Amino acid sequence: MSWELWNAVDRYTAGLLVGEDEILEQASAASSEAGLPAIAVSPNQGKLLHLLVRIHGASRILELGTLGGYSTIWMARALAPGGSLVTLELDPDYAAVAVRNLERARLSELVQVRVGPAADSLRALLSEGVEPFDLIFIDADKQSTPEYFGLALELCRAGGLIMVDNVIRDGAVVDPATTDTGAQGMRRFLELAAAEPRVTATTIQTVGSKGYDGFVLALVES
Ligand code: SAH
Ligand code: DHB
Ligand code: MG
């Protein structure tokens, strides 16, 4: 078993069930031309986010970690009529690339890109008294995931979904002595989620074009 095989399977299956999409391919190309790291969700993962939004009938989505807006486009396209998405990004240059990609995707009216540290933006959303979100995708700096999870719980409606990316980190998550600060963050996040009576959750390991990683899906209980 190797990354080459996982990647080939990802390409084969995405070629069949995800297909080609000029807007998404342009968004990826523009992101890489602008020097953004190649860490967006894969096409198969983007389609999973899209399906979750549709299955859930989400009309209010919050994303932490915009990068070039690739996952944003997948989710925004699945929004119920009248829906909207807020996405948080630290880096103003990345956010500018995302804004341009969202314009090309004709999604600018549905999506608000907020620039700054996600924790500050989350606290600002809370103090603005925004309507609760139906789905929150946490995919920013991994070491801050425990803090983001706590704030996301305050911003998510009962019955809402919280999805957290990059929980497995090549398996580093099982090592209590790991020096990977991201994996340390994910261990603390998993312990928090385990002790949190407001959620019921599961962890799914994944392999594919992005290597060996995984995600947590959590349902916020009423
Ligand atoms: N969701 C994107 C990928 C996000 S990569 C996609 O799948 O297409 C993680 C992003 O989090 C990067 O763009 C990084 O700049 C951003 N980030 C890092 N630290 C952050 C912080 N403190 N606040 C908000 N965003 C942050
Ligand atoms: C990284 C971030 C991600 O969101 C991801 O899916 C993969 C890698 C990173 O920061 O290295
Ligand atoms: Mg990610």
Side-chain angles (χ1 to χ4, degrees):
M1 292 292 268
S2 65
W3 176 81
E4 280 73 24
L5 183 58
W6 304 337
N7 190 40
V9 171
D10 230 352
R11 265 192 290 134
Y12 170 68
T13 55
L16 289 167
L17 295 184
V18 180
E20 309 240 309
D21 186 292
E22 208 182 310
I23 296 290
L24 285 163
E25 277 151 30
Q26 266 187 26
S28 295
S31 300
S32 102
E33 276 156 32
L36 274 55
I39 54 177
V41 293
S42 69
N44 269 314
Q45 291 169 339
K47 185 79 175 275
L48 174 63
L49 287 169
H50 180 92
L51 289 169
L52 278 175
V53 171
R54 289 181 60 182
I55 292 164
H56 194 49
S59 61
R60 291 185 47 78
I61 300 174
L62 174 63
E63 175 178 62
L64 283 63
T66 315
L67 193 66
Y70 183 83
S71 53
T72 319
I73 293 172
W74 269 115
M75 291 190 287
R77 281 177 169 179
L79 278 167
S84 61
L85 186 156
V86 177
T87 183
L88 313 180
E89 174 54 50
L90 176 65
D91 188 311
D93 297 331
Y94 293 6
V97 174
V99 164
R100 184 75 198 98
N101 285 335
L102 289 159
E103 280 166 4
R104 272 197 293 262
R106 305 201 179 285
L107 291 166
S108 308
E109 287 189 5
L110 309 185
V111 179
Q112 184 191 10
V113 183
R114 290 173 79 131
V115 180
D120 293 355
S121 299
L122 292 168
R123 286 190 202 97
L125 287 166
L126 277 169
S127 66
E128 287 162 24
V130 289
E131 234 184 277
F133 291 92
D134 303 313
L135 186 150
I136 302 181
F137 179 45
I138 302 181
D139 192 25
D141 53 310
K142 310 310 164 190
Q143 73 275 10
S144 305
T145 303
E147 183 183 11
Y148 297 155
F149 178 63
L151 289 161
L153 277 172
E154 302 301 314
L155 285 160
C156 195
R157 73 164 165 88
L161 294 177
I162 300 177
M163 164 91 113
V164 181
D165 196 21
N166 310 116
V167 170
I168 303 301
R169 313 264 316 178
D170 271 313
V173 72
V174 291
D175 178 7
T178 182
T179 54
D180 175 340
T181 55
Q184 289 169 358
M186 291 308 175
R187 288 179 64 83
R188 279 188 290 122
F189 155 63
L190 287 166
E191 284 156 23
L192 265 182
E196 176 52 69
R198 287 172 291 177
V199 300
T200 181
T202 191
T203 311
I204 296 297
Q205 304 180 63
T206 57
V207 293
S209 59
K210 295 192 68 183
Y212 171 38
D213 212 324
F215 60 86
V216 161
L217 185 63
L219 176 69
V220 178
E221 302 284 12
S222 335

